[in-house]
Amino acid sequence: HLHLHTLSAVRVAARGGRRYSRSALVSSGMEGDDTPRFVHKAGGKVLELATFGAIKAAAMQGGRVLDVRDPNEVEAGKGGTTEADALHAPLNVDGQAQSVYSTSFEEYKAVLEAAGVDIEARTPDPLVVHCSGGGRAAKVVGWLKDLGFEAMNGGKPDEVRRCFEEVRR
């Protein structure tokens, strides 16, 4: 049922429908590890998220979680609680939304290095990136792939953490 509902929602979003709230297309359960996941952003943009199965596979391969939320969002638990060993590399400069100040690729490489991501070494371990709704994570995933990393958009912190915890049990 979740799969059909999600695909139906994507079709409505693709036609410019306004039936769904900003992040209503994100699946909410852990069932269906290979069920396609999407999030509908403002302006009708639909982002594809990694399946729960892909996130769990990344965890089994020694992958790391990269949290790109602002420190105040992490403290407030916006989107949930991140995985305990997550690296924190906020995308927004000085807490300014990307709509106010768009962080450059060069600026973000310095943030990644400061967070402990060795961009020269390009370890084979996958990076599962999350923010609070998928948009900033999508931008960072694109940059990480450009740098030669295996990276995926995990969606919300709670979803990524639950996948990693399930693998570690």
Side-chain angles (χ1 to χ4, degrees):
H1 179 352
L2 175 65
H3 179 71
L4 293 176
H5 172 73
T6 304
L7 291 178
S8 172
V10 170
R11 283 190 203 107
V12 169
R15 284 186 247 144
R18 301 272 185 244
R19 242 175 66 189
Y20 296 90
S21 67
R22 189 173 168 181
S23 61
L25 300 185
V26 175
S27 57
S28 59
M30 292 296 289
E31 64 278 353
D33 277 358
D34 295 319
T35 301
R37 300 171 58 230
F38 302 90
V39 64
H40 180 214
K41 303 302 286 181
K45 188 173 185 176
V46 178
L47 303 174
E48 185 172 3
L49 304 176
T51 65
F52 291 131
I55 296 169
K56 291 174 187 176
M60 285 186 268
Q61 295 168 19
R64 298 290 310 266
V65 174
L66 183 65
D67 184 346
V68 300
R69 296 175 295 169
D70 293 337
N72 64 326
E73 292 177 302
V74 174
E75 186 177 316
K78 185 175 179 183
T81 304
T82 194
E83 199 269 328
D85 296 326
L87 301 170
H88 187 235
L91 177 61
N92 294 338
V93 173
D94 297 325
Q96 297 180 77
Q98 292 297 291
S99 59
V100 174
Y101 180 83
S102 183
T103 307
S104 74
F105 185 43
E106 291 303 315
E107 287 172 314
Y108 198 67
K109 286 196 293 189
V111 172
L112 286 170
E113 288 278 354
V117 177
D118 186 346
I119 60 174
E120 297 303 320
R122 292 180 189 87
T123 63
D125 302 330
L127 288 167
V128 181
V129 184
H130 73 70
C131 53
S132 60
R136 287 171 288 173
K139 185 174 187 175
V140 170
V141 165
W143 284 343
L144 288 168
K145 287 181 176 182
D146 288 347
L147 288 169
F149 286 93
E150 179 185 341
M152 65 188 75
N153 188 341
K156 294 187 178 203
D158 275 342
E159 296 168 330
V160 172
R161 178 184 42 77
R162 284 194 302 259
C163 287
F164 270 71
E165 286 173 351
E166 189 174 308
V167 166
R168 291 187 178 141
R169 279 188 247 171

